[in-house]
Amino acid sequence: MPKMKTRRSAAKRFKFTGNKKIKRSKAFRGHLLGHKTSKRKRQLRKSTLVDKTDYKRVRKMLPYA
């Protein structure tokens, strides 16, 4: 059977923690930042974990991670 391909877009967006949880960055940080508060922009800088409802879907995109 041939090797499975990793979805490169997913590989660039997600990283794994030591316990195989998946880390992601938050959305709404790309543009239109003028009207967002400093607090909101500061909190969007931090990374967060992928929700358990999406975990299986993201794992499928990254077969060798």
Side-chain angles (χ1 to χ4, degrees), residues 48-62:
T48 185
L49 296 176
V50 168
D51 193 72
K52 64 177 189 215
T53 54
D54 296 318
Y55 184 83
K56 196 187 288 185
R57 193 174 0 184
V58 176
R59 278 297 316 201
K60 256 184 200 168
M61 290 191 261
L62 304 166

Side-chain angles (χ1 to χ4, degrees), residues 25-30 33 35-48:
S25 57
K26 292 183 179 169
F28 305 107
R29 186 77 171 94
L33 298 172
H35 74 278
K36 293 173 187 163
T37 63
S38 301
K39 179 184 177 181
R40 183 170 165 194
K41 289 185 280 192
R42 190 166 55 246
Q43 288 173 337
L44 288 171
R45 272 186 229 143
K46 299 174 185 171
S47 60
T48 185

